Amino acid sequence: SQQGEEDPQALSIQEGENATMNCSYKTSINNLQWYRQNSGRGLVHLILIRSNEREKHSGRLRVTLDTSKKSSSLLITASRAADTASYFCATDADDYKLSFGAGTTVTVRA
Amino acid sequence: NAGVMQNPRHLVRRRGQEARLRCSPMKGHSHVYWYRQLPEEGLKFMVYLQKENIIDESGMPKERFSAEFPKEGPSILRIQQVVRGDSAAYFCASSPPYSPSYNEQFFGPGTRLTVL
C-alpha cells in the first residue's frame, strides 16, 4: 500500500488565495519531501523536511511535519496560475525507496 | 550544473520490441534510481543502482526488465518484449554519493513509453 497519501485529491482556487494540501503516512520516516509535477512533465523538488523538524519555509511554500500524527501539510501562499500542477509527498520509510501518493491536483483560476 | 538528463523523452514501441531508456545523473551524483508512473498514480520505486552495482531491484518485475549503471556512460533501463501494460512514464532520479537515506532525490524529465 502507498506510504504517502495526499488529501484532497483535487483543489481549485482563485489566484491570490492560499492552497493547503495534506499528506498522511503510516510508518516512521527519516524525512519527507514534496514535489511538483506539471502536466506531462517531470518532478520538481520543492522541499525536504527532516523528522526532527516541525516547519520549513521556502519562498511562498510552508511545510509542516507532525510525526506524532504521521502527517505533513504543504501551504502555498498567494497562489499564481503557474502553481497549477500536481503535488506529491514522498516518504522514505523504506530507506531510499521513496514512496509517493497519488498526488493533489491544484488548479489556480485567473 | 545540468540536471538529471533522460532520453528519449518519448518512445513508441510495438508489442514485442525492446525499449531502452537512458539516464545521466547530475554531476557528482553516483546514486541512480528508476521509478515508474502509471496514469493518475504516484511514482513507484523500481531499482537503485550505484556505479557497476545493482543495490536493490526489488521493485522491478522479475522478467523482461533489467537495469545497469556502467562505469562509463548513462544508466540504462531495458525492457524486452514490451507489452501494452508497460506503457507508462519512467523517471530516473539521482542523489549525492553519501547516505541516500538523508538526501533529496533529483528527478529527470522522464521518458514516456507508449506500447502500441
Side-chain angles (χ1 to χ4, degrees), chain A residues 16-63:
Chain A
E17 292 181 338
N18 296 343
T20 301
M21 60 211 86
N22 303 297
C23 169
S24 59
Y25 57 92
K26 295 183 174 67
T27 59
S28 297
I29 59 172
N30 294 309
N31 59 56
L32 184 145
Q33 306 182 55
W34 283 92
Y35 290 85
R36 183 185 74 227
Q37 184 179 35
N38 291 89
S39 180
R41 308 291 290 272
L43 276 78
V44 173
H45 187 271
L46 296 177
I47 203 162
L48 178 150
I49 186 164
R50 304 205 186 281
S51 59
N52 61 353
E53 296 175 312
R54 291 295 166 260
E55 188 170 312
K56 209 161 179 181
H57 296 255
S58 177
R60 292 183 296 112
L61 305 179
R62 173 178 168 252
V63 168

Side-chain angles (χ1 to χ4, degrees), chain A residues 96, chain B residues 31-35 45 47-49 91-95 100 105:
Chain A
Y96 43 77
Chain B
H31 300 259
V32 166
Y33 316 81
W34 285 93
Y35 292 81
F45 169 83
V47 61
Y48 162 38
L49 309 106
F91 290 94
C92 168
S94 71
S95 67
Q105 292 183 18

Side-chain angles (χ1 to χ4, degrees), chain A residues 2 30-31 33 35 37-45 47-48 50 88 92 94-103 105, chain B residues 9-10 33 35 37 40-45 48 55-56 58-59 91 99-110 112:
Chain A
Q2 291 174 150
N30 294 309
N31 59 56
Q33 306 182 55
Y35 290 85
Q37 184 179 35
N38 291 89
S39 180
R41 308 291 290 272
L43 276 78
V44 173
H45 187 271
I47 203 162
L48 178 150
R50 304 205 186 281
F88 296 89
D92 66 344
D94 199 356
D95 203 8
Y96 43 77
K97 300 177 197 174
L98 293 185
S99 179
F100 289 79
T105 300
Chain B
R9 297 290 304 277
H10 300 273
Y33 316 81
Y35 292 81
Q37 184 181 32
E40 309 300 325
E41 293 188 13
L43 279 69
K44 298 286 193 295
F45 169 83
Y48 162 38
I55 306 302
D56 184 344
S58 60
F91 290 94
S99 173
S101 300
Y102 298 96
N103 290 283
E104 297 94 333
Q105 292 183 18
F106 294 89
F107 283 80
R112 276 150 186 84

Side-chain angles (χ1 to χ4, degrees), chain A residues 6-15 17-22 34-39 46 60-61 74-77 79-88 102-109:
Chain A
E6 296 87 352
D7 169 63
Q9 288 187 327
L11 186 58
S12 180
I13 55 174
Q14 202 72 33
E15 203 166 22
E17 292 181 338
N18 296 343
T20 301
M21 60 211 86
N22 303 297
W34 283 92
Y35 290 85
R36 183 185 74 227
Q37 184 179 35
N38 291 89
S39 180
L46 296 177
R60 292 183 296 112
L61 305 179
L74 170 66
L75 167 68
I76 306 172
T77 60
S79 63
R80 305 167 181 169
D83 295 328
T84 294
S86 292
Y87 292 81
F88 296 89
T104 293
T105 300
V106 174
T107 303
V108 180
R109 306 187 305 273

